[in-house]
């Protein structure tokens, strides 16, 4: 039984490796007018210490599952693009327990109309939220941990409708500017509430201007880089600006393994007066679909 399972596992790895080298597991099923960049990945790290005197160490383990899809259909009249980015991860540290390290739901659909060769009007919509509950950790007077829930799925949830003009000179670079209506949904944790009013709001509607610039470049078949800069200003004033800059460098180490180096910076006045920063270095199994 064990030999059979081992043989099946080896065959699956060889099949996936071959498909990866050819461009993706499902590359042949893609219609001619579609292009796609779809990657699923699983990353895991573990360090365990027991009676280890050579140097101090803390046992820990981290797992992360990601799914990143970018699909685009082309017709003579318009292009239709769909982006889906999912991430869920958790870290366990001896003495601290489990902590969430990644939790993201991002979906964007957009149609740009081929009125001109490079400048195109567009319309679209976006949804953002998370899978699991988020917590804030503190201690009581006796040093016991206090875990307070501060977020969960659809609390907050963000739904944005947008329309404007974009500049699309090639497949690597695009930038667009237009009107956006950003809706915040929060039933319990006050992300949509206006502190200046007596009533607790569970829904916030913010019309404003939105700018998105994207860049993607492949240095070779093994190394690629992509960047996305997003900014939103509601019509209340420029001190109400939100923004996020995401960067990811991916290096293929073998047909099934990839090194990723990422750096993100974000600012949201409703969440914090200071900017937020995140940097990651990850190695794990990567399964390319397209």
């Amino acid at each position: 039984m064990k030999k059979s399972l081992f043989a099946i596992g080896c065959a699956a790895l060889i099949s996936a490796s071959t498909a990866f080298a050819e461009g993706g597991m499902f590359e042949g099923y893609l219609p001619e007018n579609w292009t796609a960049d779809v990657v699923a990945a699983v990353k895991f790290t573990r360090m365990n210490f027991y009676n280890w005197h050579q140097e101090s160490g803390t046992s820990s383990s981290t797992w992360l599952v990601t799914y990143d899809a970018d699909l685009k259909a082309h017709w003579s009249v318009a292009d239709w693009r769909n982006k889906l980015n999912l991430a869920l991860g958790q870290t366990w540290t001896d003495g601290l327990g489990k902590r969430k390290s990644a939790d993201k739901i991002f979906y964007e659909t957009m149609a740009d109309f081929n009125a001109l060769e490079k400048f195109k009007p567009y319309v679209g919509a976006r949804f953002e939220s998370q899978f699991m509950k988020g917590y804030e950790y503190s201690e009581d007077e006796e040093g016991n941990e206090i875990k307070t829930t501060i977020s969960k799925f659809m609390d907050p949830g963000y739904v944005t409708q947008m329309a404007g003009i974009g500049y699309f000179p090639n497949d690597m670079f695009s930038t667009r500017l237009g009107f956006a209506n950003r809706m915040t949904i929060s039933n319990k944790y006050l992300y949509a509430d206006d502190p200046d009013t007596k009533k607790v709001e569970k829904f916030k509607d913010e019309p404003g201007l939105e700018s998105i610039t994207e860049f993607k470049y492949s240095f070779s078949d093994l190394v690629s880089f992509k960047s996305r800069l997003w900014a939103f200003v509601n019509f209340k004033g420029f001190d109400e600006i939100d923004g996020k800059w995401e960067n990811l460098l991916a290096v293929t180490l073998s047909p099934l393994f990839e090194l990723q180096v990422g750096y993100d910076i974000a600012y949201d006045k409703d969440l914090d007066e200071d900017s937020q920063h995140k940097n990651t270095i990850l190695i794990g199994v990567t399964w390319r679909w397209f």
Side-chain angles (χ1 to χ4, degrees), residues 3-18:
K3 291 182 179 180
S4 299
L5 291 175
F6 179 75
I8 292 172
C10 289
L13 286 175
I14 293 172
S15 175
S17 177
T18 303

Side-chain angles (χ1 to χ4, degrees), residues 27-136:
E27 190 76 19
Y29 297 95
L30 199 66
E32 292 184 0
N33 65 319
W34 283 77
T35 58
D37 184 7
V38 182
V39 177
V42 177
K43 285 104 176 171
F44 180 78
T45 59
R46 180 179 183 270
M47 296 187 67
N48 185 61
F49 299 90
Y50 174 73
N51 196 31
W52 189 255
H53 297 289
Q54 287 186 297
E55 68 270 344
S56 59
T58 303
S59 299
S60 64
S61 62
T62 300
W63 61 264
L64 174 65
V65 179
T66 62
Y67 182 82
D68 193 4
D70 189 350
L71 296 93
K72 186 175 182 180
H74 175 74
W75 295 280
S76 59
V77 177
D79 292 340
W80 180 34
R81 185 183 184 190
N82 288 275
K83 293 187 65 178
L84 177 64
N85 185 224
L86 307 175
L88 185 62
Q90 195 173 69
T91 297
W92 173 84
T93 305
D94 189 23
L96 291 177
K98 296 179 181 178
R99 298 285 193 274
K100 187 167 62 172
S101 59
D103 192 353
K104 181 180 182 181
I105 302 174
F106 176 96
Y107 173 68
E108 182 179 86
T109 182
M110 186 186 72
D112 54 89
F113 303 94
N114 299 320
L116 298 173
E117 183 178 354
K118 296 181 180 180
F119 290 92
K120 306 176 184 180
Y122 70 88
V123 294
R126 183 185 310 114
F127 170 74
E128 299 168 88
S129 190
Q130 62 192 59
F131 291 100
M132 300 170 60
K133 290 183 177 180
Y135 299 97
E136 186 176 69

Side-chain angles (χ1 to χ4, degrees), residues 5 16 75 102 136 158 165 175 197 217 219 228 242 247 253 275:
L5 291 175
W75 295 280
E136 186 176 69
Y158 301 97
I165 298 293
T175 184
T197 62
Y217 184 74
F219 296 93
R228 183 178 189 270
D242 297 332
N247 300 275
L253 303 178
S275 59

Side-chain angles (χ1 to χ4, degrees), residues 268-284:
D268 189 331
K269 187 178 180 181
D270 295 333
L271 300 179
D272 200 301
E273 293 287 344
D274 295 327
S275 59
Q276 306 166 58
H277 301 261
K278 181 176 76 171
N279 60 80
T280 56
I281 299 176
L282 298 166
I283 298 177

